[in-house]
Amino acid sequence: AKVPDLILLDWMLPGMSGIELARRLRKESISREVPIIMLTARGEENDRVSGLEAGVDDYVVKPFSARELLARIKAEEDGSVMLGGLRIDGAAHRVFAGDTPIHIGPTEYRLLHFFMTHAERVYTRTQLLDHVWGGNVYVEERTVDVHIRRLRKTLEPHGLENLVQTVRGSGYRFSTST
């Protein structure tokens, strides 16, 4: 049997939940290593946690753009992503503005990678801490602001600092539109 490169799975399936199917896929040796991206209309924290516990690799919350979905698929394939004049080479763990390498710290790299694979969506400091630092790490919320400033400073010489936007009263987003 041919094994798929990636499984795009809807949360709501007739007769069985996507979570249940994800659990079954993770138990089968043939599909254990295949990345699973779950499509869901449910953005609640506990639903995402149960999906991650079932073995889901990433989430796309409906409604979503085709561009966002393609960016997530690309990220699952090899960690590489291109957006807004920036390119992350996931295999080499390097960032480029066009063809110019950008020297970037490990936390800024993870932050940028998360932003580029979740573009156009606003994330609070708490959400960024969970996704980039990990939910079990105690880090002060203001740490996010420090790393956002560092990331912008890293992108500034390439004229790309405006890709990382502050959304007043909400958080931050990576956006190619102003």
Side-chain angles (χ1 to χ4, degrees):
K2 180 138 173 39
V3 181
D5 295 326
L6 181 135
I7 297 166
L8 195 56
L9 185 58
D10 202 310
W11 184 290
M12 303 301 278
L13 297 172
M16 161 191 323
S17 76
I19 294 294
E20 183 54 38
L21 183 53
R23 278 195 190 97
R24 288 185 188 183
L25 289 165
R26 286 295 174 243
K27 285 180 184 157
E28 296 293 324
S29 59
I30 194 164
S31 55
R32 190 171 294 140
E33 300 299 317
V34 179
I36 299 172
I37 296 178
M38 179 77 80
L39 300 177
T40 178
R42 302 177 180 189
E44 292 94 347
E45 215 43 53
N46 57 342
D47 290 335
R48 285 210 297 273
V49 168
S50 59
L52 295 169
E53 285 170 352
V56 171
D57 296 286
D58 199 0
Y59 269 100
V60 178
V61 179
K62 296 184 272 187
F64 57 87
S65 70
R67 207 164 97 196
E68 179 188 5
L69 181 59
L70 288 171
R72 299 279 188 101
I73 289 170
K74 184 90 176 113
E76 283 302 330
E77 285 173 353
D78 64 359
S80 297
V81 62
M82 277 178 64
L83 204 57
L86 280 174
R87 176 171 60 90
I88 291 181
D89 179 341
H93 226 72
R94 295 183 67 192
V95 180
F96 298 86
D99 293 327
T100 310
I102 296 177
H103 299 289
I104 190 167
T107 302
E108 286 74 34
Y109 176 91
R110 290 196 318 275
L111 190 56
L112 181 62
H113 191 278
F114 177 76
F115 272 140
M116 287 178 71
T117 54
H118 300 79
E120 308 299 335
R121 186 164 289 162
V122 179
Y123 288 92
T124 65
R125 289 180 184 92
T126 305
Q127 289 171 321
L128 289 170
L129 284 172
D130 285 348
H131 289 291
V132 178
W133 280 261
N136 55 356
V137 177
Y138 180 76
V139 184
E140 178 64 39
E141 273 196 7
R142 294 288 163 191
T143 304
V144 174
D145 302 339
V146 172
H147 287 285
I148 293 282
R149 278 198 300 276
R150 281 191 200 161
L151 179 55
R152 285 181 177 145
K153 195 171 173 152
T154 301
L155 299 175
E156 198 174 11
H158 309 280
L160 299 172
E161 69 278 9
N162 293 335
L163 291 171
V164 180
Q165 301 171 355
T166 300
V167 180
R168 295 230 178 276
S170 298
Y172 297 101
R173 85 172 147 229
F174 184 93
S175 180
T176 54
S177 54
T178 49

